[in-house]
Amino acid sequence: MGFFTDTSVCIGCKACEVACKEWNAVPEDGLEFTGMSYDNTQGLGADTWRHVAFIEQDKPMGNADSGVRWLMASDVCKHCTHAACLDVCPTGSLFRTEFGTVVVQEDVCNGCGYCVPACPYGVIDQRKEDGRVWKCTLCYDRIGDGLEPACAKACPTDSIQFGPLDELRERAAARVDQLHDIGVDDARLYGHDPEDGVGGDGAFFLLLDEPEVYGLPPDPVVTTRDLPGMWKHAGAAAAALAAGAAALFAVHGRRGGGR
């Protein structure tokens, strides 16, 4: 199960942010404008599990000759198929649910922070008050009871859609074709491909410009992909060091015994 966020119909209402905070009892943050357009939260964090970006561009929309357009997009944890945060968590606080999503157990988290730099999207964050990490759970408690996540429930335009990933990918591909047919040539999907560097995202997006415009990495890769090779090389180096030490000990031991 996962999210498909169609940014082409996002109106920037922030209903998803409010619903997420209300249902999950996420503390308030950013009640004042930052001076960065109409964005009062700036990005995802321990106290912002859904973040609506406002991007103003001097660029026409679709077949228009001129004009200014707003790109609005509700960002969230990507719930990666190959999740580096799971690989580095030493306590098992982060776990994969039966729905394929990634959830933090706050009562198990020891605040080590290893998962923070491991996330290729910069999603996971620690609360200053206690050092524990927090992020979107894809409303694990709600979907376990057959309900859709709070953000999708509150979205008035169906920009945020919840369901089986295979169905969402088909729906997203059809939406891209529809936009291309009406002249929105920049429409493209992001995070939908199971063959990408993170094995596909459990929360993917339809974008109207390059990923970098939205603050997303263009080619995300699971940060722990090289760990098996690193451990292999480290083990080989340790074995070689041990063999060298044993050889030296044998030589000097025999000489010492000769005295």
Side-chain angles (χ1 to χ4, degrees), residues 79-93:
H79 295 274
C80 308
T81 298
H82 302 315
C85 57
L86 291 177
D87 294 336
V88 301
C89 180
T91 65
S93 171

Side-chain angles (χ1 to χ4, degrees), residues 29 39-52 75:
D29 64 324
D39 187 358
N40 65 321
T41 48
Q42 300 187 58
L44 295 173
D47 296 332
T48 303
W49 298 359
R50 268 278 180 188
H51 167 248
V52 179
D75 197 10

Side-chain angles (χ1 to χ4, degrees), residues 102-158:
V102 179
V103 174
V104 181
Q105 300 174 94
E106 293 84 6
D107 58 336
V108 182
C109 177
N110 67 357
C112 69
Y114 294 163
C115 55
V116 175
C119 176
Y121 297 102
V123 167
I124 305 180
D125 188 29
Q126 291 175 285
R127 276 194 191 147
K128 295 179 181 179
E129 292 77 9
D130 60 14
R132 293 181 296 169
V133 300
W134 305 78
K135 72 172 192 68
C136 163
T137 67
L138 220 150
C139 283
Y140 182 45
D141 53 345
R142 288 179 63 89
I143 63 177
D145 285 337
L147 303 172
E148 63 181 327
C151 57
K153 180 70 175 178
C155 181
T157 63
D158 280 337

Side-chain angles (χ1 to χ4, degrees), residues 128-232:
K128 295 179 181 179
E129 292 77 9
D130 60 14
R132 293 181 296 169
V133 300
W134 305 78
K135 72 172 192 68
C136 163
T137 67
L138 220 150
C139 283
Y140 182 45
D141 53 345
R142 288 179 63 89
I143 63 177
D145 285 337
L147 303 172
E148 63 181 327
C151 57
K153 180 70 175 178
C155 181
T157 63
D158 280 337
S159 172
I160 302 171
Q161 301 175 34
F162 169 74
L165 283 174
D166 290 342
E167 294 180 11
L168 292 177
R169 289 177 183 133
E170 291 180 7
R171 192 182 308 166
R175 176 60 177 161
V176 170
D177 291 340
Q178 183 183 37
L179 290 172
H180 287 173
D181 289 342
I182 61 174
V184 186
D185 297 328
D186 289 336
R188 83 284 308 273
L189 296 179
Y190 177 85
H192 68 296
D193 185 4
E195 301 300 321
D196 68 12
V198 294
D201 291 326
F204 67 98
F205 303 80
L206 186 156
L207 305 179
L208 299 178
D209 210 325
E210 298 292 339
E212 298 94 319
V213 172
Y214 297 85
L216 297 168
D219 188 22
V221 174
V222 59
T223 54
T224 53
R225 66 175 180 176
D226 296 326
L227 275 181
M230 292 169 64
W231 283 115
K232 181 178 179 180

